Amino acid sequence: MLQQIFLHPVYAEDQPSGYTILTIHCLHRGFTAGAILGSIFPLARSTFSAIVRRPTSVASLPWTARLLSSAAMGGLGGTALLAVGMTARMWGREEIEWQDRSWRILANKGQNREDDWSVGGILLGAVGMGIMARRGAGFTAGMPRWRYMVGGAAAGSILGTVGHVLTSSGSVQDVEEKVVAGEGPLKPKEAS
């Protein structure tokens, strides 16, 4: 996604929009990480409630609605947490440090591919859940529409990340073959 929007020059010190690139990247990663952690919560709560046999008010919602709600809140929480973390980490840093980190993000083909998958999932999930919420899908009862859409975006981000991981195994094999053949970054030493 970012490599299609921002210029990627030859040298890191020539990287324009370093602040913007790094901020977008951190917020995007925070959203996905938070969505993953938030999605685990309803499973843990359901298991705990079943063991203790203590009903909760959230348990009255359908399981998919709880999952979407938790993923939405986790995604927003992860985004906020990474915003604070990035600010703390980069506070007082020189512009070249922002440019270098941004340049490395744009140079990383695997990261760019993951971003493409994740953003595609976010868009499909948000639009799909928006349409379903507008039509009054049964499993979305009891939540505001914005939470459906954010939950759909969070679920889409997770599925996009999983899709990237499942389809990228061939690229790892390509790298291994190049290294074994002596064409990759770890070339064997020349015999003297």
Side-chain angles (χ1 to χ4, degrees):
M1 169 189 79
L2 292 173
Q3 80 280 8
Q4 295 157 347
I5 299 171
F6 295 101
L7 176 68
H8 184 241
V10 177
Y11 301 107
E13 57 268 13
D14 297 332
Q15 180 65 57
S17 307
Y19 299 106
T20 305
I21 294 168
L22 189 59
T23 301
I24 290 171
H25 172 75
C26 288
L27 297 179
H28 182 199
R29 294 296 102 224
F31 184 76
T32 302
I36 290 169
L37 293 175
S39 297
I40 295 170
F41 184 71
L43 179 61
R45 176 179 259 185
S46 296
T47 305
F48 180 74
S49 294
I51 292 170
V52 177
R53 305 252 191 268
R54 206 171 55 175
T56 62
S57 61
V58 178
S60 63
L61 289 174
W63 193 83
T64 51
R66 288 182 293 190
L67 181 66
L68 285 172
S69 177
S70 294
M73 294 298 98
L76 294 176
T79 302
L81 188 63
L82 258 293
V84 171
M86 183 198 67
T87 303
R89 176 79 173 130
M90 296 303 291
W91 191 267
R93 301 286 177 139
E94 298 288 325
E95 183 179 7
I96 186 66
E97 294 179 78
W98 288 81
Q99 290 171 316
D100 180 60
R101 284 173 172 80
S102 299
W103 187 88
R104 289 173 188 272
I105 289 167
L106 294 178
N108 187 330
K109 287 184 175 31
Q111 182 63 56
N112 290 327
R113 188 168 183 271
E114 201 293 340
D115 286 345
D116 291 343
W117 276 81
S118 182
V119 167
I122 287 171
L123 293 175
L124 288 173
V127 170
M129 283 310 301
I131 291 169
M132 292 176 80
R134 187 172 177 89
R135 291 184 179 169
F139 68 86
T140 58
M143 287 193 318
R145 185 177 294 160
W146 69 267
R147 196 176 282 187
Y148 302 136
M149 294 179 70
V150 174
S157 180
I158 295 168
L159 292 175
T161 300
V162 169
H164 163 71
V165 169
L166 292 176
T167 60
S168 68
S169 62
S171 60
V172 172
Q173 185 179 6
D174 293 342
V175 171
E176 290 172 351
E177 288 172 4
K178 287 181 180 179
V179 170
V180 169
E183 300 169 2
L186 303 174
K187 295 180 182 177
K189 291 184 179 181
E190 298 287 327
S192 22

